[in-house]
């Protein structure tokens, strides 16, 4: 896998380069946000590890510009800023996952493997539920006349729910579908992604479709459980 690592701390960048190289990955380095944006657009990477606190342009801005340019490369945010607000902001900008510093390399490798297993969705007909549509080719949802882009993780979660309309999908099932069996993702990780996904599914004035079934999981339905 070809991985773009955007990290301004030289020691950390060197550690990541050597560690990922030992796992058989090809690594391209960027030490500031402007370079990360350029390489993200041109380097044909399979994955981007993107630090938040980059010089010139921070990681949030880099990610937002990449998604505005319809660059769909999976992105894992690396950040020491672990507040729920920062995590949600990263997801809203288009992150597929996040990892807070300091982190264990084994956890990083597991996250990378999880992303690698998320093969691009096949070109299928749209999934639909009421006025909600899910497009496998563009990683977008459509609700009425509006569209919203999805990360691969958001797409995997929504696809799982849309294939089981009206049913309660357990949290464990969603975590496995969104992150893979080896991931250390938990209920808290799922919560922040569901929150981001819910905000894209339902805008003010629209009927809520994604409902929480407390203690069990989530359900896509027109009425609360």
């Amino acid at each position: 896998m070809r991985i773009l690592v955007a990290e301004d701390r030289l020691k950390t960048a060197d550690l990541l380069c050597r560690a990922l190289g030992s796992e058989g990955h090809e690594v391209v380095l960027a030490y500031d946000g402007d370079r990360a944006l350029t390489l993200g657009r041109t380097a044909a990477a399979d994955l981007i590890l993107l630090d938040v606190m980059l010089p010139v342009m921070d990681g949030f801005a880099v990610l937002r510009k990449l998604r505005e340019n319809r660059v769909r490369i999976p992105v894992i945010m690396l950040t020491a800023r672990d507040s729920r607000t920062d995590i949600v902001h990263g997801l809203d900008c288009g992150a597929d996952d996040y990892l807070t510093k300091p982190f264990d390399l084994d956890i990083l490798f597991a996250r990378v493997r999880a992303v690698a297993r998320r093969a691009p969705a096949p070109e299928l007909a749209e999934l639909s539920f009421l006025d909600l549509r899910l497009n496998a080719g563009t990683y977008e949802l459509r609700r009425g006349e509006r569209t919203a882009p999805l990360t691969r993780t958001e797409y995997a979660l929504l696809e799982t729910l849309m294939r089981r309309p009206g049913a309660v999908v357990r949290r464990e099932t969603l975590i496995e579908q969104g992150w893979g069996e080896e991931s250390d993702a938990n209920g808290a990780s799922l919560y922040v992604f569901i929150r981001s996904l819910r905000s894209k599914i339902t805008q003010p004035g629209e009927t809520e479709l994604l409902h929480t079934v407390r203690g069990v999981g989530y359900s896509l339905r027109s009425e609360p459980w």
Side-chain angles (χ1 to χ4, degrees):
M1 183 182 294
R2 184 177 173 89
I3 300 176
L4 169 58
V5 174
E7 169 62 62
D8 66 313
R9 296 191 176 186
L10 299 184
K11 288 185 178 180
T12 303
D14 181 63
L15 171 64
L16 289 172
C17 186
R18 288 187 287 107
L20 292 167
S22 71
E23 291 288 301
H25 302 293
E26 179 185 355
V27 179
V28 179
L29 288 172
Y31 296 108
D32 63 62
D34 186 61
R35 183 64 174 162
L37 179 59
T38 298
L39 290 175
R41 288 169 171 164
T42 63
D46 301 300
L47 171 67
I48 300 175
L49 299 181
L50 182 60
D51 187 37
V52 170
M53 303 300 291
L54 291 172
V56 185
M57 183 187 307
D58 70 35
F60 293 138
V62 172
L63 180 55
R64 188 166 55 249
K65 288 180 180 294
L66 287 173
R67 296 313 188 216
E68 287 172 355
N69 283 269
R70 305 187 73 81
V71 175
R72 299 302 182 198
I73 300 169
V75 173
I76 299 177
M77 302 293 287
L78 305 178
T79 176
R81 296 164 56 173
D82 60 354
S83 73
R84 180 171 292 176
T85 299
D86 288 326
I87 291 169
V88 170
H89 182 48
L91 300 180
D92 287 343
C93 289
D96 293 85
D97 206 346
Y98 63 89
L99 196 57
T100 56
K101 297 179 178 179
F103 52 81
D104 189 290
L105 284 175
D106 287 338
I107 293 176
L108 173 63
F109 295 154
R111 298 287 181 96
V112 170
R113 288 194 297 270
V115 169
R117 285 195 298 270
R118 298 175 205 161
E123 298 293 331
L124 303 173
E126 287 186 336
L127 290 173
S128 64
F129 175 72
L130 300 178
D131 62 343
L132 180 65
R133 302 287 186 273
L134 181 62
N135 190 306
T138 62
Y139 277 77
E140 292 177 328
L141 68 79
R142 177 180 292 275
R143 181 90 188 263
E145 296 301 315
R146 65 177 181 83
T147 61
L150 301 174
T151 68
R152 290 193 178 198
T153 303
E154 289 172 336
Y155 180 92
L157 295 175
L158 184 54
E159 180 188 28
T160 302
L161 289 160
M162 291 188 74
R163 290 188 183 280
R164 301 166 174 82
V168 179
V169 183
R170 298 182 64 84
R171 287 175 300 199
E172 294 82 2
T173 299
L174 288 167
I175 290 170
E176 181 177 338
Q177 293 298 315
W179 287 271
E181 294 179 356
E182 292 184 57
S183 173
D184 66 332
N186 53 28
S189 302
L190 178 62
Y191 171 81
V192 294
F193 273 86
I194 288 290
R195 178 177 173 178
S196 175
L197 185 57
R198 181 178 278 131
S199 71
K200 295 181 180 181
I201 293 173
T202 305
Q203 294 288 298
E206 296 175 341
T207 301
E208 181 65 67
L209 297 180
L210 180 52
H211 299 278
T212 302
V213 183
R214 296 191 181 280
V216 183
Y218 299 89
S219 180
L220 198 64
R221 54 195 306 122
S222 58
E223 299 292 337
W225 185 258

